[in-house]
Amino acid sequence: VSGADAHGLSAEEALIARYFAPIARHPGALGLADDCAFYAPPAGHELVLKADAIVGSVHFFPDDPADLVAKKALRVNLSDLAAKGAGPAGFLLSLALPAGTEERWLEAFARGLKEDAEAFACPLFGGDTVRSPGPVMVSVAVFGIVPAGRMLRRGAAQAGDVVMVTGTIGDAVLGLRVRQWDVPEAVALDEAASEELVGRYRLPRPRTALAHALREHARAGMDVSDGLVGDLAKLCRASGVSADIEVSRVPLSAPARAFVAADSAALTAMLTGGDDYEVLFTLAPERVAAMEAAAAEAGVPVTAIGRIVGGAAPPRFVGADGKALQFARTAFSHF
Amino acid sequence: VSGADAHGLSAEEALIARYFAPIARHPGALGLADDCAFYAPPAGHELVLKADAIVGSVHFFPDDPADLVAKKALRVNLSDLAAKGAGPAGFLLSLALPAGTEERWLEAFARGLKEDAEAFACPLFGGDTVRSPGPVMVSVAVFGIVPAGRMLRRGAAQAGDVVMVTGTIGDAVLGLRVRQWDVPEAVALDEAASEELVGRYRLPRPRTALAHALREHARAGMDVSDGLVGDLAKLCRASGVSADIEVSRVPLSAPARAFVAADSAALTAMLTGGDDYEVLFTLAPERVAAMEAAAAEAGVPVTAIGRIVGGAAPPRFVGADGKALQFARTAFSHF
């Protein structure tokens, strides 16, 4: 609680004007100088809506760089939009800060947020900043746009569809272990490899560039945020189908391959851990070539890892020995 | 972290299905069974966007009834929509819960949220629930609709406008003092009066019913959430004007009048404290009669408290003695 400065602004208004107004470049945001913002989707389009929060000591480390915390908070939401075939339009932010948060933390946070708001063409439309007796919490509500009726669903997969994923799977969960010094001695990662894995944990890469191609070619889609095994199970359940996945075809990064070569048990964690922020999607076999071409043009690697099959059984992840892997837990859950 | 239940649902999915899916009645919410929701405003309309969070031990007491916590979180946002002349369309929710949150707390929270989502025709479109090492935090991002270009602004007041407020001012800040046992002995409140004041702190009354009339008749508007003095200063600054307010015309409830009669110092706190969630608006003098008629029809009391005047000075709050009150601080600020 404080008084007003020379311009009659409260400290809270001054903070907003200094750090957040420069990120609010859409005319409807009114420079964050009003209580609400306004927005109309382009003709023939509808909004795609998502809210996801990240919490200090849960989703990131309290000493993670503040600019990366801001980017992660925005990107986990942008990842969802991309997987739904939607382009970003804007976001709202609720930021809870513990007492004693330093000015330079906030400065770095706002810098990171601004960089990504610009990089992803997703301006800030409003929000609030509150003191909290708890850890930093960054709640983002993002809205994107798609042509009306064209949002990709979880529940539209059909038996016979090819199952594909973007990028590589399991890096983030390994990055978290590196960050926690929880790496078996047999795993000899050089500095670059360690940094690559930690980077995947800290900073998701939303597949925004693939949104249009997904809308054109995919049948069902969702992002992989709680682990490939559990997220594919969700997609299958919503679609009333099952899937056969060849584990050997699941794309792994070079550091992840080195990790698994020395610690084969890590593979289960990689398939069931969270924070991948890749897109999992299915499409008719005759669309695969067109999708691969569109993905190459968008600069996003895509890999076929198996097939959608009929039935209500959980998806099978089949190893090199032809046997299905058994998972003690299939996904990250907060509860 | 836990496994899956008999239906293959994670505990988090089961929680969403049980408590939150029944509040997600809009078809675009897809029963919360997808990653995102979709929404299109009616033709000729645009969205009005707002996000505001409430935090345990900051905006409510940890032992406040959970249904009221849920309602407060939604209502502080609905209040903003109403003051902008917008009708509610839906909301997103990010809920952070400390470990050990009891099932019955969550049940009551969801019950309160459902009651208000229905009462205000503002269904849930999505969100997330996370464990937090901190207090309960409820982040709501709400979206409403207005005819395109018709959102009421802060910055549109003109010299000569009449300044009006809805309801009564200062009850919530007194309710907080009652709740904190911070009431001078001379103030003899009976139980009903105490409950009325505490109720105003706990449960805002968004002036949704007045949104249409505000759009029709008001020139500038905002909700009073950080204190009348500071919020009017914001409106004046945004409009490039000043205001003369007669303190004796500021509407007070019967319990508040009794409080002030015994503790005249309370008046300053009531004018500068927060949590009123009334609407502050200005309109041309010739519109006052029509506004009063429309407000009466909507069942919302409105009171003229002064005039917009030219100049850049802070608004003057003139007492019965003809002198302007001096305020050490003008509004609640978290920073």
Side-chain angles (χ1 to χ4, degrees):
Chain A
V1 172
S2 72
D5 73 1
H7 305 286
L9 294 176
S10 74
E12 195 170 345
E13 289 174 286
L15 182 155
I16 290 165
R18 176 163 186 190
Y19 292 117
F20 295 112
I23 312 172
R25 295 193 131 166
H26 190 283
L30 297 168
L32 305 185
D34 210 306
D35 311 280
C36 294
F38 60 87
Y39 177 80
H45 286 66
E46 61 192 8
L47 294 165
V48 174
L49 301 161
K50 174 73 186 182
D52 219 342
I54 63 172
V55 177
S57 301
V58 180
H59 301 90
F60 59 91
F61 290 86
D63 61 344
D64 276 346
D67 55 333
L68 298 191
V69 172
K71 290 181 178 196
K72 183 167 187 175
L74 184 55
R75 289 182 180 205
V76 300
N77 285 282
L78 292 172
S79 175
D80 278 299
L81 291 186
K84 302 281 111 181
F91 71 106
L92 300 165
L93 170 74
S94 280
L95 180 60
L97 297 175
T101 300
E102 290 179 19
E103 186 84 9
R104 63 178 178 183
W105 191 95
L106 202 58
E107 201 168 341
F109 182 90
R111 176 168 34 82
L113 200 63
K114 184 165 189 285
E115 282 170 10
D116 268 10
E118 287 171 5
F120 291 95
C122 189
L124 180 63
F125 273 74
D128 68 323
T129 307
V130 295
R131 282 273 181 247
S132 166
V136 171
M137 176 162 168
V138 192
S139 303
V140 168
V142 76
F143 55 102
I145 48 173
V146 287
R150 297 292 301 279
M151 185 182 98
L152 237 68
R153 313 283 178 87
R154 270 190 198 175
Q158 297 180 10
D161 279 3
V162 174
V163 179
M164 300 187 90
V165 291
T166 59
T168 55
I169 296 294
D171 297 313
V173 77
L174 297 182
L176 176 58
R177 286 172 64 173
V178 171
R179 185 73 172 72
Q180 293 172 321
W181 302 97
D182 177 22
V183 177
E185 232 171 290
V187 178
L189 293 173
D190 62 22
E191 205 177 320
S194 295
E195 270 181 23
E196 185 177 337
L197 295 175
V198 172
R200 287 296 305 276
Y201 170 74
R202 275 189 176 154
L203 196 57
R205 305 179 299 206
R207 297 306 192 173
T208 309
L210 203 65
H212 183 261
L214 287 166
R215 223 159 57 219
E216 292 298 307
H217 303 297
R219 191 123 61 189
M222 66 186 293
D223 80 334
V224 185
S225 55
D226 294 334
L228 178 61
V229 172
D231 285 339
L232 179 59
K234 289 175 195 169
L235 185 145
C236 285
R237 204 164 51 234
S239 301
V241 297
S242 186
D244 282 339
I245 303 301
E246 292 175 55
V247 172
S248 65
R249 295 171 69 187
V250 174
L252 306 183
S253 69
R257 280 198 304 273
F259 203 115
V260 172
D263 174 17
S264 61
L267 187 60
T268 299
M270 292 163 60
L271 294 173
T272 57
D275 273 337
D276 289 303
Y277 300 106
E278 297 291 356
V279 183
L280 167 69
F281 60 101
T282 83
L283 69 182
E286 63 270 23
R287 289 299 191 93
V288 170
M291 181 75 207
E292 285 173 338
E297 202 173 321
V300 178
V302 295
T303 308
I305 59 171
R307 286 276 185 155
I308 297 292
V309 298
R316 286 160 29 99
F317 281 74
V318 181
D321 58 0
K323 290 186 187 153
L325 275 59
Q326 301 297 323
F327 302 103
R329 70 179 190 92
T330 56
F332 180 78
S333 170
H334 280 286
F335 297 91
Chain B
V1 173
S2 71
D5 74 3
H7 305 286
L9 295 176
S10 73
E12 195 170 346
E13 289 174 285
L15 182 155
I16 290 166
R18 177 164 185 189
Y19 293 116
F20 295 112
I23 313 174
R25 295 191 129 167
H26 189 281
L30 298 167
L32 305 184
D34 209 306
D35 312 279
C36 294
F38 60 88
Y39 178 80
H45 287 67
E46 62 192 7
L47 294 165
V48 174
L49 302 161
K50 174 74 184 182
D52 218 342
I54 63 173
V55 177
S57 301
V58 179
H59 302 88
F60 59 91
F61 290 86
D63 61 345
D64 276 345
D67 56 333
L68 298 191
V69 171
K71 290 180 179 199
K72 182 167 187 173
L74 184 54
R75 289 181 180 206
V76 299
N77 285 281
L78 293 173
S79 175
D80 277 299
L81 291 187
K84 302 282 112 182
F91 72 105
L92 300 165
L93 170 73
S94 280
L95 180 60
L97 298 175
T101 301
E102 290 179 20
E103 186 84 9
R104 63 178 178 181
W105 191 95
L106 202 58
E107 201 168 339
F109 181 90
R111 176 167 35 80
L113 200 63
K114 184 165 190 284
E115 282 170 11
D116 267 11
E118 287 171 4
F120 292 95
C122 189
L124 180 63
F125 273 75
D128 68 323
T129 309
V130 295
R131 283 271 181 249
S132 165
V136 171
M137 177 163 168
V138 192
S139 304
V140 167
V142 76
F143 54 102
I145 48 173
V146 287
R150 297 293 300 280
M151 186 183 98
L152 237 67
R153 312 283 177 87
R154 269 190 197 176
Q158 297 180 11
D161 278 3
V162 174
V163 178
M164 298 187 92
V165 291
T166 59
T168 54
I169 296 294
D171 297 313
V173 77
L174 297 182
L176 177 59
R177 285 172 63 172
V178 171
R179 184 74 172 73
Q180 293 172 324
W181 303 97
D182 177 22
V183 177
E185 233 171 287
V187 178
L189 293 173
D190 63 21
E191 206 177 317
S194 295
E195 271 181 22
E196 184 178 335
L197 294 175
V198 172
R200 287 296 307 274
Y201 170 74
R202 275 188 177 153
L203 197 56
R205 305 178 300 205
R207 298 306 192 173
T208 308
L210 203 66
H212 183 261
L214 286 166
R215 224 160 55 219
E216 291 299 307
H217 303 296
R219 189 123 61 190
M222 66 185 293
D223 80 335
V224 185
S225 55
D226 293 336
L228 177 62
V229 172
D231 285 338
L232 178 60
K234 288 176 196 169
L235 185 145
C236 285
R237 205 164 49 233
S239 300
V241 296
S242 186
D244 281 339
I245 303 301
E246 291 175 56
V247 172
S248 64
R249 295 171 71 186
V250 174
L252 305 184
S253 69
R257 280 198 305 272
F259 203 115
V260 172
D263 175 17
S264 62
L267 187 61
T268 300
M270 292 162 61
L271 294 173
T272 58
D275 273 338
D276 288 303
Y277 300 107
E278 298 291 356
V279 183
L280 168 69
F281 60 100
T282 82
L283 70 182
E286 63 271 22
R287 289 299 192 92
V288 171
M291 182 74 209
E292 285 174 336
E297 201 172 323
V300 178
V302 295
T303 309
I305 59 171
R307 286 277 185 153
I308 296 293
V309 299
R316 285 160 31 99
F317 280 74
V318 180
D321 59 0
K323 288 186 188 151
L325 273 61
Q326 301 297 321
F327 302 102
R329 71 179 188 92
T330 55
F332 181 78
S333 170
H334 280 286
F335 297 90

